[in-house]
Amino acid sequence: MRSVCIAGNWKMNMSPSEGRAFAKALVEALKDATVRVVVAPPYVTIAPVAEALSGSRITVGAQNMSDNLSGAFTGEVSAPMLKEAGASVVILGHSERRALYGETDEFINRKVRLALAQGLDVILCVGETLAERESGKLEHVLATQTAGGLKDVTSRDMSRVIIAYEPVWAIGTGKTATPEDANAAHAFIRGEIAKLYGKAVAESLIIQYGGSVKPSNVKDLMAMEHIDGALVGGASLTVEQFAPIVRYNIG
Ligand code: 13P
């Protein structure tokens, strides 16, 4: 049995004080949760959130990271800084970073390797646009982004990698992939991992689904064989929505 991980990507929401208060409320609401939970605040909110979550089972992630360790890189934040602030995971290759900030597979791969070398776990995001899906390029895009993002990542380090399948057309749109479509994409990604790393690594890899996950659709998604968690955007910003998503398997 693969383990399950539910992560909340707060995107550019939650100031330090808002994040701290929200994190305290989450600790209360998720006391009985049984799955791994990660929340990823904006950079400046990581430290107060990590402090509010200390002693709880909820861990903290970052939404991005520099591809360098230190130096003259104005506006950037390094892996060691994220760790010191309290992050243990970093989301890399999110489609918003690919589309809005021009991040390529090669650039994302540099960050993936650096994060792993610095002791951060990685959530690597992959996913197709609607145009790519409609023109029959789904598998090509998933294969390229998966292999490109993981180039030179060792089998051993793969135990610290999660892949998030996020179809771009389902992000923030209210349109969710059907559980069957999402499962097919996840199965394809798992097959690509098996080609690169063998069956054992592929079978134990956590693949999250992301794109308009809500309390009302999480159970059907999580019931699918290859869906091992969720990367939640909008619905991770309130206790009312995020708690039932994390507690999908409890009552
Ligand atoms: P939404 O859940 O708001 O669609 O966002 C998904 C996402 O991009 C998470 O990384």
Side-chain angles (χ1 to χ4, degrees):
M1 267 292 275
R2 283 185 287 275
S3 51
V4 166
C5 177
I6 309 261
N9 175 7
W10 294 359
K11 306 192 180 182
M12 200 168 72
N13 298 288
M14 299 277 184
S15 70
S17 58
E18 290 168 344
R20 182 188 292 114
F22 181 54
K24 284 185 184 157
L26 276 184
V27 171
E28 270 305 300
L30 297 179
K31 261 189 192 143
D32 60 351
T34 57
V35 305
R36 179 174 167 197
V37 188
V38 177
V39 292
Y43 286 140
V44 295
T45 303
I46 290 174
V49 165
E51 201 185 295
L53 295 177
S54 77
S56 82
R57 53 195 319 289
I58 309 172
T59 54
V60 185
Q63 300 170 19
N64 185 27
M65 186 193 95
S66 171
D67 62 328
N68 286 284
L69 278 179
S70 68
F73 302 100
T74 301
E76 292 293 287
V77 176
S78 72
M81 292 171 187
L82 294 176
K83 281 183 70 181
E84 189 176 324
S88 56
V89 192
V90 59
I91 297 170
L92 294 172
H94 191 280
S95 62
E96 286 151 16
R97 298 225 50 95
R98 293 177 191 263
L100 303 173
Y101 303 99
E103 294 201 7
T104 62
D105 288 324
E106 197 186 354
F107 183 60
I108 293 160
N109 174 249
R110 278 169 57 88
K111 300 202 268 191
V112 168
R113 283 184 285 130
L114 187 61
L116 292 168
Q118 291 295 314
L120 288 167
D121 293 354
V122 168
I123 297 177
L124 171 66
C125 302
V126 300
E128 82 289 0
T129 62
L130 191 57
E132 287 165 342
R133 175 172 275 261
E134 286 178 345
S135 59
K137 295 196 188 109
L138 170 65
E139 294 193 345
H140 172 74
V141 170
L142 295 182
T144 306
Q145 292 184 350
T146 301
L150 295 174
K151 189 170 173 287
D152 295 331
V153 171
T154 64
S155 308
R156 198 155 164 256
D157 278 346
M158 282 304 290
S159 63
R160 297 195 290 121
V161 173
I162 289 173
I163 293 187
Y165 168 62
E166 299 205 312
V168 178
W169 47 272
I171 295 177
T173 57
K175 278 188 211 159
T176 324
T178 64
E180 292 73 22
D181 280 350
N183 191 55
H186 286 219
F188 177 79
I189 293 166
R190 204 177 298 288
E192 292 302 292
I193 296 295
K195 280 191 220 160
L196 296 168
Y197 293 101
K199 217 170 168 226
V201 169
E203 282 306 313
S204 57
L205 176 75
I206 295 176
I207 307 181
Q208 296 174 325
Y209 169 78
S212 300
V213 175
K214 301 184 255 317
S216 58
N217 58 26
V218 66
K219 275 189 196 155
D220 289 343
L221 289 161
M222 290 303 296
M224 304 308 291
E225 180 185 353
H226 292 285
I227 301 182
D228 317 307
L231 181 54
V232 186
S236 73
L237 296 173
T238 63
V239 174
E240 291 68 32
Q241 296 211 74
F242 194 55
I245 291 174
V246 171
R247 299 177 73 262
Y248 76 94
N249 59 343
I250 316 170

